[in-house]
Amino acid sequence: GIRYVVIPEFDGVVSTVDEPLPTPVGLVPSMEDQLDLVARTPRLPTLEVFENRAWLPTTALLTDSAAQASELAGPEVLVRADLSGATPVFVGADQFATTAESIDAGVVHLAVPFDDNWSLGVDGTSVPARRAFGATTAFDVTTAGVGELRYESPTSRLLLVFLQVAFWIVALVIVSRVQVPTGRRTGVVTEPLIDLSAEPVIDLTVALTPTPAAAPDPDASDR
């Protein structure tokens, strides 16, 4: 899905024409050594542009020599194959929705790793998936018609999502230290032992009883 690789010589902010910053050492030579990249000519003074000769649209229809090359394996096949006749189909297709479009006979190629959860039906007839170029996904369409491309998530993925949610819930409960009562407690004293809010009780019979007077001292008059 990547057709051009652009290396800017100046960005106008950090690296300017008056004060240029050199590109990383070896970056441009390493790009020039790639077999599937070709430097675009004429070159611009501020940009290094490379074209990917193995470029394909993310979802494309291959015909003729490109369709035959897709049955082979290896990165060198993509480099040698003439992919200029590839036309985009099912533009915007993803794993979240079904995409329908009228297509011609040929090879519907998906630039994604091989995954048999992708399915293609043409006029209601299912087309089996196969490996293309030894790594990607393709469908051999023998007759033209209305195609429907969809992705069916495996059941194991849904199960893993539920397990992940369950683990998160358990982790949150442990972290928050939530205690859930397992039953009603019995034999618990419900009456208070000491009531600090009650008024103090005063025994009036004790408080109003007069204290007996002390007996006179007989020797006090002599003094």
Side-chain angles (χ1 to χ4, degrees):
I2 300 175
R3 186 172 184 179
Y4 296 102
V5 179
V6 180
I7 302 175
E9 299 285 350
F10 310 102
D11 59 9
V13 180
V14 178
S15 180
T16 61
V17 177
D18 296 331
E19 297 181 357
L21 293 178
T23 57
V25 177
L27 177 60
V28 174
S30 65
M31 300 294 282
E32 292 174 341
D33 291 340
Q34 297 293 322
L35 298 178
D36 52 352
L37 296 180
V38 178
R40 298 280 293 182
T41 54
R43 294 189 174 185
L44 299 176
T46 58
L47 297 174
E48 294 284 350
V49 181
F50 297 89
E51 183 178 6
N52 181 13
R53 293 191 299 179
W55 172 81
L56 278 173
T58 305
T59 51
L61 183 67
L62 309 181
T63 57
D64 301 331
S65 60
Q68 296 176 4
S70 68
E71 298 178 358
L72 304 176
E76 66 279 358
V77 177
L78 281 171
V79 176
R80 299 195 193 101
D82 181 11
L83 305 175
S84 59
T87 57
V89 293
F90 300 113
V91 177
D94 55 29
Q95 66 271 29
F96 302 109
T98 300
T99 306
E101 181 180 331
S102 297
I103 57 175
D104 296 328
V107 175
V108 175
H109 178 264
L110 306 182
V112 296
F114 178 76
D115 188 349
D116 55 6
N117 291 309
W118 284 99
S119 63
L120 175 65
V122 180
D123 290 338
T125 302
S126 178
V127 180
R130 68 168 175 86
R131 292 184 182 272
F133 305 106
T136 53
T137 307
F139 303 89
D140 295 321
V141 179
T142 57
T143 57
V146 177
E148 291 187 354
L149 182 66
R150 67 170 59 90
Y151 184 84
E152 299 176 357
S153 299
T155 306
S156 58
R157 179 181 181 276
L158 184 61
L159 178 60
L160 291 176
V161 171
F162 281 131
L163 287 176
Q164 185 178 13
V165 172
F167 287 146
W168 273 111
I169 294 175
V170 172
L172 291 176
V173 170
I174 294 175
V175 171
S176 60
R177 298 180 180 178
V178 175
Q179 296 181 355
V180 180
T182 57
R184 181 176 296 176
R185 299 175 62 185
T186 59
V188 180
V189 178
T190 58
E191 296 182 359
L193 299 177
I194 300 176
D195 189 359
L196 299 178
S197 63
E199 295 293 335
V201 178
I202 301 176
D203 191 352
L204 296 178
T205 59
V206 178
L208 299 179
T209 301
T211 303
D217 188 358
D219 297 334
S221 58
D222 297 337
R223 300 192 189 110

